Amino acid sequence: MTNVFNFSAGPAMLPADVMQQAQQEFINWQGQGCSVMEMSHRSKAFIEVAETATDNLRKLLSVPKDYHILFTHGGGRGQFSAVPLNLTSPNDRADHLVTGSWSKGAVEEASHYLTADVVGQTQIIDGKIGVQSQQQWQLNQQAAYFHYCPNETVEGIEIPWVPETNGVPIVADMSSNILSKKIDVSQYGVIYAGAQKNIGPSGLSVVIVHDSLLDKARTETPSIINYSLLAKHDSMYNTPPTFAWYLAGLVFKWLLNNGGVDAMEHRNADKAALLYDAIDSNDFYSNNVAFEYRSRMNVPFHLATTDLDGLFLKESEGAGLKALKGHRIVGGMRASIYNAMPIEGVQALVDFMHDFAKRNG
Ligand SMILES: *Cc1c(COP(=O)(O)O)cnc(C)c1O
């Protein structure tokens, strides 16, 4: 393996064990004489791969029986239109909490299909970015669903509680924090995630949908993102992204072998604490998210002066710490520390940060 720690926000690093296994069996999968990529999705062997992956995801998140798990196309953003098309009619309205770039993208896309109301947003708490308390939101009791993004990948804002919506189904874009901690799936109507942060390769999208929300799709919904059709056909209405599904299955197995989401939650808490401590304990660094809403997955931070950003990036890259450049709309740095990032990677970053501050502060 290389001595590089990859802090990319997505597509992001995958567990080294998984990459090695995929490499070993790349050309000759399970003695079949061909790659899993070269096999029919209707073959017995691949159906077993798909079913095992689905079962293992169900196990990892304790997904109740009355939810379907779908593997589909179009990544995270594909669901921005799949959700309104599958759950509503054009005259319906949906509530949206907007706390950053991705939830903003979702409300913009949804507004092409229905009346999309922004019912709550961020607010400044003691000079830092937080989220409005629920008492300040203007929920509509008639809303077909309530959409939010529990972890804003760009801004590094994670909402640690689940909204109370008085029975309106909650739709959550968990692209960047799915499987990072325990969740109670029964609190949600739909959970979706683009795979390339915490699950596997890009392009794949995982949807967990309550059975009561199936069979509501508009007639014009493209078949390949129609939840009911996908559910009926075990996500094989058309050819699914088979290699991505297989690789996601390897990641699920890796998670189960490493203590599941319980263990990930502890690991992720430790990793985030280590990094935020390094930021807080040194005047040279800052993070502008209110304490309660700091993301455990995406940690944006700024240096004392933007003049040193270029040098920081050049030297960190040289030290094997990859892809720390912040998103262009936030600036500064961002370290994405998903499940696959070992604590050694965060420790290496923290050591580099202390050293850099000492030399340049
Ligand atoms: C990355 C991301 C997306 C977009 O995923 P694509 O696969 O690029 O469409 C959507 N939502 C969140 C929260 C993300 O982090």
Side-chain angles (χ1 to χ4, degrees):
M1 297 307 288
T2 56
N3 283 325
V4 163
F5 292 112
N6 177 5
F7 294 90
S8 170
M13 71 172 291
L14 290 166
D17 293 349
V18 165
M19 295 303 278
Q20 267 162 349
Q21 185 182 343
Q23 182 187 44
Q24 269 161 20
E25 56 191 27
F26 186 63
I27 289 179
N28 183 3
W29 181 76
Q30 308 226 328
Q32 302 266 333
C34 68
S35 171
V36 67
M37 200 192 299
E38 303 169 302
M39 289 173 36
S40 167
H41 55 298
R42 312 250 178 235
S43 64
K44 195 163 161 267
F46 187 79
I47 287 174
E48 196 180 310
V49 169
E51 280 176 353
T52 305
T54 311
D55 292 347
N56 284 342
L57 178 56
R58 193 176 286 279
K59 226 179 269 168
L60 283 163
L61 290 177
S62 307
V63 179
K65 283 203 179 66
D66 53 348
Y67 284 77
H68 272 81
I69 298 177
L70 311 174
F71 287 78
T72 180
H73 311 265
R77 195 180 275 275
Q79 293 304 311
F80 291 0
S81 47
V83 166
L85 283 167
N86 274 285
L87 304 189
T88 69
S89 316
N91 291 330
D92 284 338
R93 34 190 345 125
D95 284 353
H96 284 256
L97 176 68
V98 174
T99 52
S101 306
W102 288 116
S103 51
K104 184 161 178 280
V107 70
E108 281 166 9
E109 188 95 15
S111 69
H112 301 152
Y113 302 100
L114 44 59
T115 305
D117 298 303
V118 176
V119 297
Q121 53 188 329
T122 53
Q123 70 169 359
I124 302 299
I125 303 172
D126 296 333
K128 305 244 177 191
I129 306 173
V131 176
Q132 279 183 337
S133 71
Q134 291 197 71
Q135 291 94 301
Q136 294 168 273
W137 301 358
Q138 273 117 34
L139 296 177
N140 298 306
Q141 210 43 64
Q142 307 75 27
Y145 62 84
F146 168 91
H147 181 282
Y148 83 122
C149 180
N151 186 67
E152 288 283 3
T153 322
V154 173
E155 290 81 3
I157 298 170
E158 187 165 15
I159 302 173
W161 35 266
V162 181
E164 175 49 65
T165 58
N166 301 313
V168 172
I170 297 176
V171 177
D173 175 0
M174 291 197 192
S175 296
S176 52
N177 71 347
I178 194 166
L179 294 165
S180 71
K181 58 176 183 179
K182 276 176 302 198
I183 53 167
D184 176 1
V185 172
S186 72
Q187 292 179 290
Y188 303 87
V190 177
I191 292 167
Y192 66 84
Q196 69 272 29
K197 281 74 183 231
N198 241 346
I199 294 179
S202 59
L204 178 69
S205 168
V206 172
V207 180
I208 303 172
V209 52
H210 190 258
D211 290 349
S212 65
L213 297 174
L214 297 173
D215 303 317
K216 288 174 180 292
R218 301 183 194 182
T219 9
E220 67 267 29
T221 306
S223 315
I224 62 160
I225 54 164
N226 181 311
Y227 294 166
S228 319
L229 266 185
L230 286 163
K232 260 178 222 132
H233 294 265
D234 298 323
S235 301
M236 296 205 190
Y237 183 74
N238 77 324
T239 314
T242 52
F243 191 76
W245 196 339
Y246 147 82
L247 212 84
L250 295 188
V251 171
F252 299 153
K253 244 178 231 159
W254 176 82
L255 286 169
L256 285 170
N257 291 337
N258 285 276
V261 285
D262 251 337
M264 287 304 134
E265 184 164 358
H266 287 112
R267 256 172 58 127
N268 290 329
D270 289 347
K271 280 150 52 185
L274 182 59
L275 184 46
Y276 284 114
D277 280 352
I279 294 166
D280 293 341
S281 65
N282 195 325
D283 284 345
F284 188 77
Y285 300 105
S286 62
N287 163 278
N288 69 347
V289 178
F291 189 80
E292 186 189 355
Y293 297 102
R294 283 176 159 186
S295 170
R296 287 180 178 178
M297 295 284 100
N298 311 97
V299 182
F301 60 94
H302 283 87
L303 315 188
T305 161
T306 52
D307 294 347
L308 288 167
D309 283 358
L311 186 65
F312 185 95
L313 286 167
K314 187 165 162 257
E315 289 190 0
S316 55
E317 179 92 29
L321 307 166
K322 230 180 145 55
L324 286 165
K325 192 172 171 35
H327 191 279
R328 63 187 183 286
I329 67 173
V330 174
M333 308 300 149
R334 172 177 50 171
S336 294
I337 49 175
Y338 302 116
N339 285 343
M341 175 60 68
I343 190 131
E344 291 77 16
V346 180
Q347 187 62 56
L349 171 58
V350 163
D351 292 345
F352 172 82
M353 287 168 67
H354 285 317
D355 180 57
F356 187 88
K358 213 181 285 165
R359 286 184 288 111
N360 297 283

